[in-house]
Amino acid sequence: MASSDDRVAGSDTGEDCPCRDGMFDTLEANRRRFIFGAGSALGAASALALATLPARAAEKAPPGAVWYDVPEDPTKVPGRPVAGDGGYGTRSQFETAVRIRFPTPNANTSWSLTPLASLYGNITPSGLHFERHHNGIPTIDPSRHSLVVHGMVGTPKRFSMDDIKRLPSVTRRHFIECSGNGLTEWKSPKGKTVQQTHGLLSTSEWTGVLFSTLAREVGLKDGAKWVLGEGSDAAVMTRSIPLEKMLNDAMIVYGQNGEAVRPEQGYPLRLLLPGYEGNTNIKWLRRLQVSDKPFMTREETSKYTDLMADGKARIFTLDMDAKSVITFPSGDMKLPGPGIYTISGLAWSGRGRILSVDVSTDGGHLWYPARIESTPEPMCTVRFTFPWIWDGKPAILQSRCTDETGYIQPTLAQLLAIRGDHGPYASVYHLNSIQSWAVASDGGVSNVHA
Amino acid sequence: MFTHDLKPLVRRLLLAGAFSIGASACAFAQSASDTRIGVGTPVTKAELSKYFAIPPDGTGLPAGSGTPSEGRVVFMDNCAICHGDKLQGNPKPGFGGDRLIGGRGTLATNAPVKTVESYWPYATTLFDYVKRAMPFSAPGSLTDDQVYSVVAFILAQGHIIKPDATMNAKTLPKVQMPNRNGFVPDPRPELSLYH
């Protein structure tokens, strides 16, 4: 399914977005994009119907919001009552950013991408966290859910959700990135927006129990080297994880950004492997089987392997290499005119902390250090910023990060030289090269290979 | 929410030093021999029997067997709608089943075709995956005999086993897949990036 062919997220609506909205989107532009936008709950037909209705009737709240009448002057009429929302809040009706789905033929095995350009700071709102499911989102009653840990252990055990919550917990911020992030971008620039090119990346604060804690409860046997994680979805997703990783920093999480993990993210329990490719972070986790060998599941052989030009495929390519991307300005935006702009973006590494980020405005000839907005944490994104005075001439914006191992984010040319350039179904995963955004003299920003 | 008696747990937590209550006050806790907390219920073999994950050596393969000709019937009834009656795949909206055979000799070309036949290193993976996740619309609905048969059918269509071969717990792990030696460990970080 995962191939770098012509499809890009959002293209299933046939939208050829001419709406290069300015950096400060107007409400109209936002609403137009919401109604016609890819990934909106409305089909193309109903969107058209809506558009022909009087503007008033077309005012409909975006997903995650409730539409309220907008008073002329909010200081002259009482507002809404306390807890009138039933006790769980919604976002503003004026906030329209949504995930968009990649047009795979089957919506049950597909992915949706995070609208990175609409995010602030470092944490992805739980409702905008990217998705990748292999047969839909299961509905699971936590009172009937449990985690079985067995295999090469002293005492195989079943842990109820209550059991797991009684164990000492840790709370850590980590990104998850699908190793297919950017798979359309190897050959030529395909995605128009940073959501399409980099949206399989999200960051959350995760709460749960370290695997090492569970390991002591069951007792590991000598010779144990791998652990199979299994999900409780219709794909019964399985991946084999090196025990070394499991004992190093693997978490069994039930909390995401201060509340229970969202259903799309594995409710009620998810395996969290900091810095590992997204697919290994098994959602709806129901079973861990300790073993001396990997199981060679479909997901770690047929998929998530990288076929090189010599016909050999790399297997267990688990770490996500250091990567960064500018989210403002980014593809499909339009700068209103010359002047000062704060370039902003995200940087992350699966091998530790981000050490530094550089920005270039001339396609990688000159690099300047960017400012990192927060203290870098291991296997967590950082937001970087860089003040830029645009002179109105064409420019090529790039960011390049270095992680704490000293690894420097490579160029696309460097990666292609290694991974080969042999067709859309070959090496599609683990693209972590420098992204280029071209700013034209009219201020339009587009995705280019430079 | 909690139904268990917390007292033994609290005692164990104190002994394990898992909750620190001031280092000096319970310095003795550091020497506790049992660092377990004692949570979780032991599971029996019988309970575990509903789970499976079949590694290349075939451990855990169930009883039962099947042949390609039996598998043809299973495939046409349960799989062909999404994978095509020639196993060629079906990219139409709502289906999206992968192509399952062909593509041998293409992996090192500019148009590699990855299928069970050309790419998968182990036949055990096919059994495991079909039993766990297929048919996509009703996963886990086939009997073990049906899974053995449909696996035999796919392997025979891919000219990997003889058209009359029987697949069972003994024969399946012995099947030599064409791309058995096609996988190499991850060499990243790639050294040329440090030239």
Side-chain angles (χ1 to χ4, degrees):
Chain A
M1 298 287 94
S3 66
S4 57
D5 60 15
D6 283 335
R7 293 170 296 173
V8 291
S11 61
D12 52 344
T13 62
E15 176 198 39
D16 181 25
C17 185
C19 50
R20 299 172 133 206
D21 303 320
M23 60 185 281
F24 304 112
D25 287 342
T26 63
L27 175 60
E28 253 334 290
N30 257 331
R31 195 169 298 145
R32 190 173 70 238
R33 204 164 46 201
F34 165 62
I35 290 174
F36 293 106
S40 105
L42 310 165
S46 59
L48 274 178
L50 262 181
T52 57
L53 290 173
R56 182 66 190 74
E59 280 173 350
K60 193 172 169 287
V66 174
W67 185 265
Y68 299 106
D69 286 336
V70 186
E72 203 43 48
D73 180 348
T75 69
K76 296 293 182 286
V77 286
R80 298 190 296 278
V82 172
D85 56 10
Y88 194 97
T90 55
R91 65 174 170 173
S92 162
Q93 67 207 52
F94 301 106
E95 295 301 313
T96 53
V98 287
R99 290 181 259 113
I100 51 173
R101 184 175 85 81
F102 188 91
T104 57
N106 194 317
N108 261 32
T109 170
S110 191
W111 51 96
S112 76
L113 302 101
T114 295
L116 294 177
S118 305
L119 304 189
Y120 307 118
N122 206 11
I123 298 287
T124 310
S126 300
L128 293 177
H129 194 295
F130 83 85
E131 303 166 275
R132 175 40 169 143
H133 319 307
H134 286 259
N135 198 352
I137 304 159
T139 303
I140 296 175
D141 176 350
S143 70
R144 286 166 50 197
H145 189 78
S146 61
L147 173 66
V148 170
V149 187
H150 70 120
M152 293 178 70
V153 301
T155 314
K157 279 187 171 182
R158 180 186 298 282
F159 299 90
S160 69
M161 289 303 296
D162 284 354
D163 289 338
I164 290 170
K165 289 178 182 172
R166 290 167 73 184
L167 293 168
S169 66
V170 295
T171 295
R172 294 174 183 176
R173 284 183 283 270
H174 292 298
F175 73 84
I176 299 179
E177 184 186 17
C178 177
S179 52
N181 202 13
L183 62 80
T184 55
E185 304 302 306
W186 283 97
K187 301 281 160 190
S188 58
K190 293 258 174 57
K192 285 189 172 161
T193 66
V194 69
Q195 179 170 20
Q196 291 166 327
T197 59
H198 288 76
L200 296 177
L201 165 81
S202 300
T203 298
S204 299
E205 182 178 89
W206 302 100
T207 298
V209 176
L210 288 172
F211 172 75
S212 54
T213 306
L214 285 180
R216 267 195 303 274
E217 295 304 302
V218 294
L220 297 179
K221 285 200 168 148
D222 287 344
K225 282 225 157 62
W226 292 81
V227 179
L228 179 94
E230 182 179 81
S232 197
D233 57 330
V236 206
M237 179 58 62
T238 45
R239 286 296 299 260
S240 310
I241 312 299
L243 180 64
E244 189 187 352
K245 174 68 177 177
M246 294 294 286
L247 290 177
N248 189 22
D249 57 4
M251 295 165 71
I252 317 297
V253 299
Y254 45 79
Q256 179 187 8
N257 298 330
E259 62 180 352
V261 169
R262 290 284 169 111
E264 322 83 79
Q265 297 309 321
Y267 183 87
L269 214 53
R270 173 177 210 165
L271 181 60
L272 206 280
L273 300 171
Y276 262 28
E277 67 181 359
N279 179 253
T280 62
N281 294 255
I282 303 286
K283 300 185 292 260
W284 315 293
L285 184 71
R286 73 168 189 187
R287 188 163 78 92
L288 292 170
Q289 182 176 352
V290 182
S291 162
D292 56 347
K293 292 189 198 75
F295 288 78
M296 300 298 181
T297 72
R298 181 254 189 174
E299 245 53 55
E300 58 208 23
T301 53
S302 169
K303 307 293 169 190
Y304 301 104
T305 47
D306 304 310
L307 179 59
M308 299 294 119
D310 65 359
K312 298 279 183 210
R314 295 176 177 181
I315 194 166
F316 297 116
T317 48
L318 298 169
D319 293 312
M320 297 307 296
D321 286 321
K323 188 167 172 182
S324 70
V325 67
I326 292 172
T327 56
F328 178 82
S330 58
D332 233 19
M333 294 182 181
K334 186 159 186 177
L335 301 180
I340 181 139
Y341 294 94
T342 300
I343 292 174
S344 172
L346 294 165
W348 62 99
S349 168
R351 293 203 173 90
R353 294 174 180 81
I354 287 296
L355 194 68
S356 60
V357 182
D358 298 322
V359 165
S360 172
T361 60
D362 63 359
H365 297 287
L366 292 172
W367 292 95
Y368 304 94
R371 174 171 169 253
I372 292 181
E373 278 199 350
S374 56
T375 306
E377 295 172 32
M379 285 76 85
C380 186
T381 43
V382 291
R383 166 80 50 186
F384 65 85
T385 56
F386 179 77
W388 175 49
I389 298 170
W390 182 44
D391 57 10
K393 297 202 186 99
I396 299 215
L397 307 183
Q398 298 179 331
S399 65
R400 179 182 73 185
C401 68
T402 303
D403 72 16
E404 65 178 329
T405 71
Y407 176 98
I408 301 175
Q409 184 182 5
T411 62
L412 181 62
Q414 279 178 300
L415 272 199
L416 281 173
I418 302 169
R419 308 274 176 89
D421 191 14
H422 58 299
Y425 294 92
S427 179
V428 298
Y429 301 104
H430 294 284
L431 174 61
N432 69 312
S433 58
I434 291 168
Q435 168 71 36
S436 306
W437 302 117
V439 182
S441 45
D442 69 352
V445 186
S446 58
N447 180 13
V448 294
H449 280 181
Chain B
M1 160 185 169
F2 293 115
T3 50
H4 306 274
D5 177 9
L6 274 177
K7 268 183 231 134
L9 171 73
V10 169
R11 201 179 58 236
R12 283 208 190 83
L13 286 174
L14 286 173
L15 283 173
F19 289 178
S20 64
I21 305 178
S24 59
C26 58
F28 67 90
Q30 298 301 325
S31 61
S33 59
D34 189 351
T35 55
R36 285 170 296 180
I37 294 167
V39 160
T41 319
V43 278
T44 61
K45 267 221 161 84
E47 274 180 90
L48 290 173
S49 66
K50 76 167 193 179
Y51 303 111
F52 66 91
I54 314 293
D57 67 11
T59 304
L61 276 171
S65 69
T67 62
S69 57
E70 291 159 353
R72 173 182 295 278
V73 180
V74 178
F75 189 88
M76 294 310 159
D77 286 353
N78 298 283
C79 323
I81 183 167
C82 294
H83 290 283
D85 51 12
K86 304 219 157 32
L87 292 74
Q88 75 276 26
N90 179 359
K92 287 207 200 78
F95 299 98
D98 303 79
R99 173 176 174 177
L100 299 177
I101 55 168
R104 273 203 223 196
T106 65
L107 296 182
T109 71
N110 278 336
V113 176
K114 295 193 247 176
T115 68
V116 171
E117 177 187 347
S118 67
Y119 196 59
W120 289 37
Y122 302 103
T124 46
T125 308
L126 184 58
F127 184 95
D128 176 284
Y129 183 68
V130 172
K131 182 171 159 70
R132 93 175 35 249
M134 290 294 140
F136 195 76
S137 38
S141 59
L142 301 185
T143 65
D144 289 335
D145 282 344
Q146 285 177 310
V147 178
Y148 276 120
S149 334
V150 81
V151 161
F153 174 69
I154 296 168
L155 294 174
Q157 291 294 302
H159 306 287
I160 298 166
I161 60 170
K162 298 215 170 71
D164 58 353
T166 299
M167 287 295 109
N168 57 36
K170 279 223 165 62
T171 55
L172 185 71
K174 295 204 184 101
V175 171
Q176 272 294 318
M177 298 295 277
N179 197 36
R180 168 67 186 82
N181 299 315
F183 292 83
V184 294
D186 180 12
R188 295 174 312 149
E190 288 143 328
L191 294 189
S192 67
L193 298 179
Y194 298 82
H195 284 176

